């Protein structure tokens, strides 16, 4: 009877106050044409935040709160600018270029070549900490030593920071990384804080240094705060150096922010606060959006996406933007039959990427190679694999598999999109005689297996940028130095000395045009060798309420609400 | 030794063995999985030194047997370990969330009894009539409704369309936030309870002592409530105990769907992130509730029905 009551209630609810989607948003903004101040932006995510420790947090969702509360020496241009992946000074006043010098190594005394960057800090920049540790003020000046300490915290083995390898070119970093207990330095000589300047000395050129300094790992932090809270305490407590500060945080439930009254660029910030609900189921998140409890929604289920995406009245309020990522399947090149390039190429020809993209209802863009369009270094001339099952079959015959073979195909989930992709790939491969058996693993098991050699011959894999530079994709995924029996970032165990040479040359090439050319060559060789089936780059789709203004998805920060404004009060349409 | 003391002693011993068995099984499942929590914690490009250091910190560098010994030793000292993700003691996390789970579980059981029992009585007294058919069919539907679907439907109708209740948990509106998840959890129970009570009542109403009571001239209401219902409730008491025990361990789907800040959400999160201490902590608490509930039910059963012997 309970279910009968439910059904009766469902029928009775027809024609209730929440209108159908076809009518479009029920409310619109007040109609302001210039930004107005005030209001709290509300949104939900379908997972929790792992950490608020800027030197530890790494996943997409943990970065959201850090982006609202922390600034760095350099940052990305504001979302509304045409070139949002461009870098600009943030807490520094300048964007230095590398000055090549010779100096004496502070430990060995040998003459070494170094690349030096001198950053000058803005005046009047402060930390804001409404509940400071005893003896500390609410507002405290940000000094160069706080950036030095932040980077050293990343390098320190005690921190377990995912960013350790990003800063290994800094003088003294390898010694810090190798420190065991008290044997080894706790400071890097390549980081010098003096007056209002921070000098960074590299022992090898790093064209991606600015991108790395724009990551939240390099947000300033005080040693006194770290000492007070301890590494565990920092998981849930932070001190603001950005436009907002945390007012309350209930792990996996909700985190709320208010505007930082001491922020150096506070005139650019229109919101009074941000309210972020955590671990909200996707369909429930969509209901909250439709009930006007949230101002913007993403990661809609396919049925919700279809329902709103095809309504003309909603089109002005839908946002679509390419993500900087690559999704597909990776082969394990140490396992048969994938030690044979012809078999890998056959898979690449056999899989119909255009069909796959249709399954994503506009959320997937067919890929030719690892680098997505829209990021620096993308090569529109790259030769990929067109759908050609005849050629695929011929390659399999040539490789000695005229009758095809059976193969376990490892996916993760549960995820409706992943399952659709898997079924489509299975059908495509069956056409050329390869019988795939789909096996689903939980995420931690899949991750461990795919990063180990000899475990998963063929399975889903993906890479989402740390920063929009080709090195972040090509080097980590395809340089032979990242192969390993376990914990291999180069999960296909791919190795091509020619590719290594090109990637090594590009990694230290400071001329952007020459560097891009080197990456184009490396990418083409990688695609020809086919260590992956590069299937698609994702396209994010979000819906906003009509009163959420100047919101544009950011390619790096994803949900950048720093500079948006709310056209409140909203009124019925 | 009085029978009740030896009965309790035996049951307690079995309870401890059951708990040990469940926790060992959970340990084996969580630790023998071919997955490495350091990969989830350190991101995609950690150095070998970082992995080694973290493994040492988390005791993952020891053999499975050594880790098990370490784990049992900690449990014996009342220490459930520290969550890999939250970096907080598991006992503290459980203590923080268990109150909310208890509120939800008690409310759900309350609804099950409050709605399920009268429906069962009503159906029994109108056997083979329209009301009985409706209640029985509805009960079947209720029992077959998956929690996820039932919860979403309730949210859609009463939260989104009618706007009577919040869509998900809202701090400061706890009572309003409680209604839909409690009802979602109660749907199956209402159906089960009504069916049990209906069956019992039909049987009891044909007993000799009911006829005697009717012959004495007692009102129908007195016969039904005092004589029949009291006896029909014995199996319901068993069910209440077991349901309460099971629900106190955390309702994974309901708590996730309604953002209810209880143990169930912690369980979901711990499984997704392979937070082994938290997985084992939530399993231990959930199984402890079930074991204790079983024990209480057995004792209550004997107290309610003198025909039950403490053997």
């Amino acid at each position: 009877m309970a279910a009968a009551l439910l059904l009766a209630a469902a029928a009775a609810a027809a024609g209730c106050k929440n209108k159908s989607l076809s009518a479009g948003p029920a409310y619109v903004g007040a109609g302001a044409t210039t930004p107005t101040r005030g209001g709290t932006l509300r949104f939900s995510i379908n997972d929790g935040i792992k950490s608020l420790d800027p030197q530890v947090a790494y996943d997409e969702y943990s970065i959201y709160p850090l982006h609202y509360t922390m600034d760095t020496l350099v940052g990305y241009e504001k979302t509304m600018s045409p070139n949002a992946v461009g870098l600009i000074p943030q807490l520094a006043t300048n964007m230095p270029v590398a000055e090549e010098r010779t100096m004496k190594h502070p430990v060995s005394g040998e003459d070494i070549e170094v690349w030096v960057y001198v950053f000058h800090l803005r005046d009047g920049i402060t930390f804001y900490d409404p509940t400071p540790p005893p003896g500390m003020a609410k507002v405290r000046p940000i000094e160069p030593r706080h950036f030095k300490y932040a980077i050293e915290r990343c390098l320190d083995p005690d921190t377990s920071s995912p960013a350790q390898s990003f800063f290994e070119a800094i003088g003294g970093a390898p010694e810090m990384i190798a420190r065991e207990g008290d044997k080894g330095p706790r400071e890097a000589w390549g980081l010098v804080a003096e007056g209002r300047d921070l000098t960074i000395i590299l022992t090898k050129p790093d064209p991606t240094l600015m991108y790395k300094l724009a990551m939240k790992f390099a947000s300033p932090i005080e040693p006194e705060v770290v000492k007070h809270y301890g590494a565990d305490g920092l998981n849930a407590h932070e001190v603001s150096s950005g436009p907002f500060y945390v007012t309350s945080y209930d792990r996996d439930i909700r985190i709320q922010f208010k505007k930082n009254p001491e922020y150096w660029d506070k005139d650019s910030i229109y919101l009074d606060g941000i309210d972020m609900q955590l671990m909200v189921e996707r369909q429930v998140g969509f209901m909250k959006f439709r009930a006007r409890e949230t101002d913007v929604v993403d990661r809609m289920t396919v049925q919700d996406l279809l329902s709103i995406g095809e309504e003309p009245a909603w089109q002005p309020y839908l946002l679509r933007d390419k993500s900087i990522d690559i999704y597909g399947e990776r082969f394990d090149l140490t396992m048969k039959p994938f030690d044979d390039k012809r078999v890998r190429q056959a898979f690449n020809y056999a899989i119909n990427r255009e069909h796959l993209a249709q399954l994503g209802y506009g959320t997937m863009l067919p890929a030719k190679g690892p680098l997505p369009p829209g990021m620096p270094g993308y090569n529109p001339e790259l030769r990929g694999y067109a759908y050609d099952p005849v050629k695929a079959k011929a390659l399999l015959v040539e490789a000695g598999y005229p009758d095809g073979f059976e193969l376990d195909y490892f996916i993760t989930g549960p995820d409706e999109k992943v399952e659709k992709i898997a079924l489509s790939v299975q059908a495509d491969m069956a056409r050329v005689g390869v019988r795939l058996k789909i096996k689903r693993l939980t995420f931690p098991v899949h991750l461990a297996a795919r990063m180990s050699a000899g475990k998963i011959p063929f399975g889903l894999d993906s890479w989402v940028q740390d920063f929009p530079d080709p090195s972040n994709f090509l080097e980590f995924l395809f340089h032979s130095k990242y192969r390993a029996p376990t914990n291999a970032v180069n999960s296909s165990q791919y190795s091509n000395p020619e590719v290594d040479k090109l990637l090594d040359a590009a990694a230290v090439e400071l001329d952007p045009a020459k560097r891009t050319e080197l990456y184009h060559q490396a990418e083409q060789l990688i695609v020809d060798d086919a260590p992956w089936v590069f299937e698609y780059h994702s396209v994010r789709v979000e819906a906003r309420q009509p009163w959420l203004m100047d919101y544009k998805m950011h390619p790096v920060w994803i949900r950048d609400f720093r500079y948006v404004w709310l056209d409140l009060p909203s009124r019925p349409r | 030794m009085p029978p009740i003391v030896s009965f309790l002693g035996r049951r307690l011993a079995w309870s401890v063995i059951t708990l040990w068995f469940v926790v060992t099984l959970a340990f084996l499942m969580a630790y023998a999985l071919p997955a490495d929590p350091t990969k989830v914690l350190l991101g995609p490009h950690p150095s070998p030194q970082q992995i080694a250091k973290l493994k040492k910190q988390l005791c993952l560098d020891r053999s499975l047997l050594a880790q098990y010994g370490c784990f049992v030793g900690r449990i014996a000292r009342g220490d459930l370990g520290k969550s890999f993700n939250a970096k907080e003691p598991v006992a503290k996390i459980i203590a923080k969330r268990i109150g909310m789970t208890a509120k939800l579980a008690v409310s759900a059981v309350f609804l099950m009894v409050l709605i399920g029992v009268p429906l069962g009585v009503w159906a029994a007294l109108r056997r083979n009539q329209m009301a009985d058919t409706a209640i029985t069919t509805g009960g079947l539907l209720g029992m077959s409704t998956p929690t996820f679907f039932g919860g979403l439907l309730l949210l859609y109708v009463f939260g989104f369309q009618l706007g009577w209740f919040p869509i998900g948990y809202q701090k400061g509106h706890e009572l309003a936030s409680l209604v839909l998840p409690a009802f979602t959890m109660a749907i199956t129970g209402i159906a089960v309870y009504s069916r049990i009570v209906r069956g019992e009542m039909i049987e009891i109403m044909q007993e000799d002592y009911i006829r005697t009571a009717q012959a004495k001239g007692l009102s129908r209401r007195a016969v039904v409530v005092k004589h029949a219902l009291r006896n029909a409730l014995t199996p319901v008491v068993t069910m209440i105990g077991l349901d309460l025990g099971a629900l106190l361990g955390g309702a994974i789907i309901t708590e996730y769907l309604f953002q209810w800040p209880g143990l169930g959400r912690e369980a979901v999160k711990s499984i997704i992130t392979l937070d082994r201490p938290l997985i084992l902590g939530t399993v231990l608490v959930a199984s402890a509730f079930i074991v204790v509930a079983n024990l209480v039910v057995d004792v209550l059963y004997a107290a309610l029905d003198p025909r039950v012997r403490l053997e």
Side-chain angles (χ1 to χ4, degrees), chain B:
Chain B
M1 191 185 292
I4 185 77
V5 176
S6 85
F7 171 78
L8 273 178
R10 272 200 318 274
R11 290 307 316 261
L12 269 176
W14 273 114
S15 301
V16 173
I17 292 169
T18 309
L19 272 182
W20 170 79
F21 181 75
V22 169
V23 171
T24 303
L25 199 67
F27 174 89
L28 286 174
M29 286 166 79
Y31 279 74
L33 269 182
D36 182 353
T38 59
K39 292 192 180 74
V40 182
L41 293 171
L42 283 174
H45 27 68
S47 69
Q49 293 95 322
Q50 278 181 304
I51 293 167
K53 191 170 172 76
L54 191 61
K55 280 194 169 170
K56 199 169 174 186
Q57 268 175 19
L58 303 178
C59 280
L60 301 174
D61 56 340
R62 304 189 201 167
S63 69
L64 193 65
L65 200 63
Q67 288 185 60
Y68 181 66
C70 180
F71 167 69
V72 172
R74 274 199 287 104
I75 299 262
R77 294 193 302 276
D79 175 8
L80 295 178
K82 193 164 80 173
S83 155
F84 289 171
N85 284 306
K87 311 272 173 75
E88 278 179 52
V90 169
K92 193 176 154 193
I93 295 173
I94 290 172
K96 189 175 162 193
R97 302 292 191 210
I98 199 151
M100 291 303 282
T101 290
K103 279 181 198 167
L104 187 56
V106 170
S107 309
V109 171
F110 179 72
L111 284 175
M112 289 177 196
V113 176
L114 195 73
I115 303 173
V117 172
L119 282 176
V121 174
W122 196 30
L125 298 180
R126 280 162 183 72
R127 195 179 173 196
N128 296 332
Q129 294 175 23
M130 185 95 143
D132 181 27
T133 314
I135 291 169
T136 316
T137 315
L140 197 66
L141 275 170
M143 281 163 72
S144 330
T145 306
T147 310
F148 192 79
F149 174 74
L152 264 182
L153 191 60
L154 286 175
L155 266 175
Y156 182 77
V157 175
F158 297 103
F160 174 62
Q161 285 291 3
L162 297 169
W164 293 352
F165 301 103
I167 304 172
Y169 176 75
Q170 269 184 17
K171 210 173 179 176
H173 299 90
E174 204 166 279
L175 196 61
S177 304
L178 179 66
V179 175
L180 294 183
F183 201 81
T184 302
M185 277 166 72
I187 292 174
T188 313
I190 291 170
V192 173
Y193 286 21
S194 66
R195 286 175 76 89
I196 290 174
V197 170
R198 177 186 176 273
E200 288 286 317
M201 286 292 288
I202 287 171
E203 208 173 299
I204 289 167
M205 289 302 282
Q206 289 163 359
E207 295 275 343
D208 290 344
Y209 69 91
I210 296 291
R211 270 203 294 275
T212 309
Q214 285 167 334
K216 270 164 61 185
L218 282 179
S219 68
R220 184 170 164 83
R221 185 187 173 88
V223 171
V224 170
V225 176
K226 278 191 183 165
H227 295 277
L229 183 59
R230 198 179 159 192
N231 287 315
L233 282 182
T234 316
V236 174
V237 171
T238 315
M239 294 295 294
I240 290 172
L242 296 179
D243 283 341
L244 199 59
L247 297 178
L248 279 170
I252 289 182
I253 293 172
T254 311
E255 287 187 13
Y256 176 52
L257 202 57
F258 290 89
Q259 294 169 268
W260 190 260
L263 273 184
R265 281 168 73 89
E266 294 292 347
V268 175
K269 196 67 199 290
S270 67
I271 293 165
I272 294 170
T273 55
L274 204 63
D275 190 339
R276 288 168 174 169
L278 195 51
I279 293 177
L280 293 174
T282 48
V283 167
L284 183 68
V285 169
S287 43
F289 275 124
I290 292 171
V291 165
V292 170
N294 265 291
L295 189 62
V296 171
V297 163
D298 281 355
V299 174
L300 265 183
Y301 208 78
L304 271 178
D305 189 346
R307 288 170 299 179
V308 176
R309 292 272 176 270
L310 300 174
E311 282 163 358

Side-chain angles (χ1 to χ4, degrees), chain A residues 316-327:
Chain A
Y317 310 108
L318 294 180
L319 299 99
R320 291 189 170 86
D321 208 354
K322 293 187 284 281
S323 291
I324 303 184
D325 56 23
I326 177 67
Y327 288 82

Side-chain angles (χ1 to χ4, degrees), chain A residues 1 6 18 161 232 252 288, chain B residues 50 82 138-139 160 167 265:
Chain A
M1 87 294 324
L6 286 180
N18 280 303
S161 170
D232 290 353
D252 294 338
K288 281 174 181 280
Chain B
Q50 278 181 304
K82 193 164 80 173
F160 174 62
I167 304 172
R265 281 168 73 89

Side-chain angles (χ1 to χ4, degrees), chain A residues 138-312:
Chain A
K138 267 189 184 180
V139 182
R140 308 186 288 271
I142 298 176
E143 297 164 10
R145 68 185 176 97
H146 299 132
F147 295 94
K148 170 178 158 69
Y149 179 64
I151 298 172
E152 284 169 348
R153 250 194 111 217
C154 292
L155 294 168
D156 191 330
D158 289 345
T159 313
S160 293
S161 170
Q164 200 184 50
S165 63
F166 290 142
F167 299 110
E168 61 190 7
I170 292 174
E175 292 83 349
M176 271 196 82
I177 291 171
R179 200 192 82 226
E180 278 185 31
D182 286 331
K183 289 181 197 156
R186 288 185 181 272
E187 289 188 45
W189 58 260
L191 293 164
V192 183
E194 224 171 34
R196 297 295 291 162
D197 290 346
L198 176 76
T199 304
I200 299 180
I201 306 168
L202 304 184
T203 54
K204 59 184 176 187
D206 181 1
T208 59
L209 178 70
M210 292 298 161
Y211 283 125
K212 291 169 181 171
L213 293 175
M215 294 177 86
K216 296 301 166 189
F217 295 121
S219 309
I221 190 164
E222 300 154 293
E224 300 81 4
V225 166
V226 175
K227 194 174 169 196
H228 177 75
Y229 291 107
D232 290 353
L234 285 172
N235 213 42
H237 188 102
E238 55 158 55
V239 176
S240 170
S241 58
F244 298 92
Y245 67 97
V246 176
T247 53
S248 71
Y249 175 38
D250 191 358
R251 192 173 49 80
D252 294 338
I253 308 289
R254 195 175 210 127
I255 183 165
Q256 290 169 304
F257 309 83
K258 268 196 177 155
K259 184 175 175 177
N260 174 358
E262 303 295 330
Y263 185 52
W264 64 276
D265 190 22
K266 60 177 172 232
D267 288 348
S268 304
I269 309 301
Y270 298 101
L271 294 177
D272 282 343
I274 297 175
D275 182 357
M276 182 172 166
Q277 295 181 48
L278 313 175
M279 264 182 91
V280 176
E281 199 278 331
R282 288 159 72 197
Q283 292 178 76
V284 178
F286 188 64
M287 267 186 234
K288 281 174 181 280
F289 172 75
R290 287 191 61 198
R292 302 182 298 282
E293 284 184 20
T294 53
D295 301 308
V296 60
V297 65
D298 79 338
R299 287 190 162 87
M300 287 169 265
T301 59
V302 167
Q303 69 262 33
D304 287 341
L305 184 64
L306 277 173
S307 64
I308 200 168
E310 293 185 355
E311 292 300 343

Side-chain angles (χ1 to χ4, degrees), chain A residues 432-568:
Chain A
V432 296
V434 177
R435 297 168 297 282
L436 294 179
K437 283 204 292 199
I438 297 173
K439 299 208 164 171
R440 194 165 77 185
L441 302 175
T442 60
F443 177 73
V445 177
H446 191 272
L447 183 69
R450 82 179 185 220
M451 290 176 80
S452 304
K455 291 263 172 75
I456 288 184
F458 180 63
L460 287 183
D461 211 330
S462 61
W463 185 262
V464 182
Q465 52 111 35
D466 297 304
F467 44 84
D469 186 85
S471 64
N472 190 246
F473 283 74
L474 302 182
E475 196 165 321
F476 279 133
L477 295 178
F478 304 111
H479 197 296
S480 66
K481 70 181 173 188
Y482 290 111
R483 286 180 306 164
T486 57
N487 295 304
V489 193
N490 176 349
S491 57
S492 61
Q493 309 287 332
Y494 171 72
S495 170
N496 180 337
E498 209 180 331
V499 169
D500 286 354
K501 218 168 110 184
L502 288 163
L503 293 177
D504 288 339
V508 294
E509 177 56 66
L510 294 174
D511 179 331
K514 282 188 196 161
R515 200 163 165 264
T516 300
E517 181 48 37
L518 290 168
Y519 281 129
H520 282 180
Q521 290 175 32
E523 191 188 19
Q524 188 62 65
L525 285 174
I526 293 163
V527 170
D528 292 345
D529 283 339
W532 279 47
V533 179
F534 300 108
E535 273 171 3
Y536 69 93
H537 309 290
S538 58
V539 176
R540 297 179 67 88
V541 182
E542 293 191 34
R544 68 171 174 93
Q545 302 287 8
W547 54 83
L548 172 59
M549 310 302 280
D550 275 351
Y551 174 51
K552 192 177 154 197
M553 284 179 273
H554 193 278
V556 176
W557 304 127
I558 317 288
R559 309 191 86 186
D560 182 5
F561 299 124
R562 278 183 169 214
Y563 308 110
V564 302
W565 57 282
L566 299 172
D567 183 22
L568 296 173

